[in-house]
Amino acid sequence: MIQRIQTVYLALAFLVTGALPYVFPLWTISGKPFYFMENMPYVILFGLSTVLSLLAIFFYNKRQHQFVIGRLNILSNVILFGLLAYRTLTVSGGAPVPEKGIGLLLPIVAIVFVALANKAIKRDEELVKSADRLR
C-alpha cells in the first residue's frame, strides 16, 4: 500500500485538503483573514475531498474503485474551485475587494495530486493486465 506512488500522491492530496485549509486563509477582507470554516459549502466540499482521498488510499487493492474515487475527488475539487472563484470575483457594490490568499489554490494543487495518482493507478492496471496476458 505505502510503497505505491499513487498512495503518496493521495496522501499529499489528503494533506492539502485536510490540513492546509486550517493554516492558509482563502482571502483577506480589510485585514481580516477568511478561512473555509466560516462558510458551510466550503466545509462540506473540503471535507468531501479529504474523505475521498482517504477512501482512495484504503482501496489500494481495488484499482478500479480507486480510480473512480479519484475522478469523484477531482470533480469535487473542480466544484470547490469554481465556487471559490465565483465568490471572489463577484463583489457587491459597496463591499471591500477581497485580497486573494494562497488557500484559493489548494483545490488546484489537490487536483494535480489526484490526477497524478489516477495516472499511476492506470499504469498499474495496465501492468497487471499485461502480466495476465503472459500467463
Side-chain angles (χ1 to χ4, degrees), residues 19-35:
L20 292 182
Y22 289 101
V23 177
F24 298 114
L26 298 175
W27 54 79
T28 306
I29 300 176
S30 302
K32 181 182 177 266
F34 182 86
Y35 289 94

Side-chain angles (χ1 to χ4, degrees), residues 57-76:
I57 290 172
F58 288 114
F59 272 109
Y60 63 91
N61 54 352
K62 298 179 182 170
R63 286 176 299 279
Q64 280 302 103
H65 293 300
Q66 200 176 28
F67 189 77
V68 170
I69 291 170
R71 290 255 173 122
L72 289 173
N73 197 352
I74 289 173
L75 180 66
S76 71

Side-chain angles (χ1 to χ4, degrees), residues 91-97:
V91 179
S92 62
V97 177

Side-chain angles (χ1 to χ4, degrees), residues 29-84:
I29 300 176
S30 302
K32 181 182 177 266
F34 182 86
Y35 289 94
F36 80 104
M37 294 133 343
E38 299 175 26
N39 201 340
M40 191 53 111
Y42 303 144
V43 171
I44 291 170
L45 288 170
F46 269 114
L48 178 66
S49 179
T50 303
V51 167
L52 287 174
S53 295
L54 191 63
L55 194 62
I57 290 172
F58 288 114
F59 272 109
Y60 63 91
N61 54 352
K62 298 179 182 170
R63 286 176 299 279
Q64 280 302 103
H65 293 300
Q66 200 176 28
F67 189 77
V68 170
I69 291 170
R71 290 255 173 122
L72 289 173
N73 197 352
I74 289 173
L75 180 66
S76 71
N77 278 310
V78 166
I79 292 170
L80 176 61
F81 182 71
L83 190 63
L84 289 171

Side-chain angles (χ1 to χ4, degrees), residues 92-129:
S92 62
V97 177
E99 183 179 319
K100 293 154 189 71
I102 197 164
L104 286 175
L105 298 177
L106 293 178
I108 299 295
V109 174
I111 288 170
V112 169
F113 283 137
V114 174
L116 288 171
N118 273 356
K119 186 176 178 182
I121 292 166
K122 192 173 183 181
R123 195 172 343 134
D124 274 0
E125 187 66 29
E126 290 171 0
L127 183 65
V128 168
K129 284 182 182 178

